[in-house]
Amino acid sequence: MKAKMKPRIDLENRTRLETVIPLKTPFIINIDPSDRCNFQCKFCPTGDRELMKQTAGRNHGPMEFGLYKKIIDDICGFPDKVKVIRLYKDGEPFVNPYFEEMVAYAKNSGCCDRVDTTTNASLLTPERSLKMIEAGLDRINISIEGVNAEQYQEFSSYSLDFEKLVENIRFFYEHRKGCEMIVKTNGDILTEEEKQKFLDVFGEIADGVYIESIMSCWSGFELKDVKVNNDVGIYRQELKNIQVCPYVFYSFSINSDGTASACFLDWAHKMLIGDAKTEKVTDIWKGERMYHYQKEFLSKNRACFQTCKECGQLTHGMADNIDDYADELLNKILQS
């Protein structure tokens, strides 16, 4: 197998957050190219289309390119480069017909070190692949929802030609230049034989592959016909109960309609901290609403927020732990 066993996030060489908080420039900004998806996966609220119609602030569709350019221009106003512009949040990024232009605009702006995305790759074609690669995409995370067409139909309610999907992913890999490709799947719905098939197929056409486990990170959304793995975390790590969510100290998200969320897992848009249509992105990051979340989290009051109270990310998917430094960091942000 050519590929390394590598998860979609870097679990090694991470900056120790307690040494850099508070940050004048966030490390990561998620920008959602579209809050709609062509899949209806059982684990994802976006796939529940009736729910999306009933959820305030959702079902906007692709982000307007003019708004996106304004957002990137604002990001250039931070004192330092953002480490990652992540073109992904609630939906399938490639639903946006301007996705390749979005990559190019961010790269050409010089506002960030890296542009990456996460996709189901069903809309990936050789033509789009070449455009993305030429635009300068730095990393692509591909989510595989089965090892045959039948599993895709059952798990994601989507009809596709699995061999064609593999062929299109292979094309991207062979032409990727400097773009890193990570392919991952959910191992809890696969047999041992099917896991091996995943490794055999994608281990030859990716830089990294990984078999994840199921967690429930979407607070307020009930998983359908799938069970949370309570033996190991999403990256097959030991489960831990972390009190202080670290995300709000180094990242935030901009939804497809321009509103900004404190958390990339805010699928119902209940943790809004601003609106990029009318505010500068730099002002949103240093604004009172973001500060409020940071202060309350360090005060161990996360459970006061309904969206955060039930979040499984802190037990099953957390890579950083600043619990032991909460008091010290609270003093720092109160004095900043």
Side-chain angles (χ1 to χ4, degrees):
M1 184 172 75
K2 294 179 181 178
K4 297 179 181 178
M5 290 296 291
K6 185 176 183 180
R8 52 182 154 157
I9 68 168
D10 186 3
L11 295 176
E12 301 176 354
N13 304 315
R14 297 182 69 84
T15 299
R16 295 187 64 88
L17 294 176
E18 67 272 14
T19 67
V20 295
I21 293 173
L23 290 169
K24 293 182 179 179
T25 302
F27 286 165
I28 301 171
I29 301 178
N30 287 70
I31 304 175
D32 198 8
S34 173
D35 74 339
R36 295 178 187 167
C37 186
N38 55 336
F39 279 23
Q40 294 177 272
C41 297
K42 293 180 178 180
F43 65 85
C44 180
T46 297
D48 188 332
R49 292 172 185 169
E50 286 303 313
L51 177 63
M52 291 301 98
K53 291 178 183 178
Q54 300 164 12
T55 302
R58 285 301 307 268
N59 209 37
H60 293 282
M63 176 180 282
E64 295 179 358
F65 191 54
L67 172 60
Y68 175 78
K69 290 196 292 184
K70 187 265 182 190
I71 291 167
I72 295 297
D73 292 347
D74 283 356
I75 292 173
C76 291
F78 279 111
D80 302 303
K81 283 187 178 183
V82 173
K83 290 183 181 295
V84 182
I85 296 294
R86 182 151 292 152
L87 295 179
Y88 169 70
K89 183 178 179 282
D90 293 323
E92 166 52 47
F94 297 171
V95 167
N96 193 313
Y98 296 103
F99 180 81
E100 297 85 356
E101 286 85 350
M102 295 172 83
V103 173
Y105 195 83
K107 290 294 292 184
N108 292 335
S109 74
C111 74
C112 60
D113 292 328
R114 191 176 84 193
V115 177
D116 69 21
T117 193
T118 295
T119 175
N120 60 41
S122 64
L123 303 177
L124 189 66
T125 62
E127 180 182 12
R128 293 198 78 175
S129 291
L130 293 176
K131 288 182 179 179
M132 283 179 224
I133 293 164
E134 289 304 314
L137 187 66
D138 294 294
R139 181 170 178 170
I140 183 170
N141 298 308
I142 297 177
S143 299
I144 297 298
E145 309 300 350
V147 293
N148 54 56
E150 291 74 24
Q151 287 181 334
Y152 266 84
Q153 184 63 51
E154 198 277 330
F155 190 76
S156 302
S157 297
Y158 191 82
S159 178
L160 57 65
D161 182 334
F162 184 75
E163 297 306 320
K164 186 66 175 178
L165 174 71
V166 173
E167 181 182 326
N168 286 335
I169 292 173
R170 177 181 289 109
F171 182 91
F172 191 103
Y173 176 73
E174 292 175 346
H175 295 80
R176 70 193 185 287
K177 295 183 178 178
C179 183
E180 183 181 26
M181 178 192 286
I182 306 296
V183 181
K184 60 91 173 176
T185 194
N186 169 18
D188 292 344
I189 64 169
L190 301 179
T191 65
E192 292 303 314
E193 183 178 351
E194 288 167 342
K195 291 177 187 177
Q196 189 58 53
K197 178 180 178 181
F198 167 79
L199 295 174
D200 291 342
V201 171
F202 296 102
E204 299 300 316
I205 54 172
D207 298 301
V209 290
Y210 206 76
I211 299 175
E212 295 182 351
S213 293
I214 293 176
M215 70 172 177
S216 178
C217 59
W218 312 109
S219 182
F221 175 74
E222 185 175 350
L223 300 183
K224 299 176 181 178
D225 302 321
V226 290
K227 293 183 178 180
V228 172
N229 189 324
N230 285 318
D231 295 322
V232 294
I234 186 174
Y235 307 117
R236 312 203 69 80
Q237 80 279 25
E238 179 184 355
L239 297 180
K240 292 183 179 180
N241 188 16
I242 293 175
Q243 290 184 291
V244 180
C245 177
Y247 289 123
V248 297
F249 299 98
Y250 69 89
S251 67
F252 70 106
S253 300
I254 302 176
N255 303 309
S256 63
D257 65 343
T259 57
S261 289
C263 178
F264 71 99
L265 296 170
D266 179 28
W267 67 270
H269 298 184
K270 293 182 177 180
M271 300 177 68
L272 298 183
I273 56 173
D275 192 333
K277 294 189 298 295
T278 57
E279 301 173 74
K280 288 185 177 181
V281 174
T282 49
D283 291 339
I284 293 172
W285 172 246
K286 61 185 180 183
E288 281 298 318
R289 281 173 282 186
M290 192 60 162
Y291 176 72
H292 176 66
Y293 280 110
Q294 293 174 341
K295 184 174 64 174
E296 291 301 310
F297 284 3
L298 289 174
S299 300
K300 307 290 181 68
N301 292 329
R302 175 173 59 84
C304 295
F305 302 97
Q306 191 62 38
T307 300
C308 307
K309 181 180 180 180
E310 303 172 355
C311 179
Q313 185 79 13
L314 295 186
T315 54
H316 286 66
M318 192 53 60
D320 304 297
N321 186 348
I322 57 173
D323 284 2
D324 292 343
Y325 306 93
D327 292 340
E328 174 189 340
L329 294 175
L330 178 59
N331 288 331
K332 282 186 176 181
I333 70 165
L334 289 175
Q335 296 171 12
S336 64

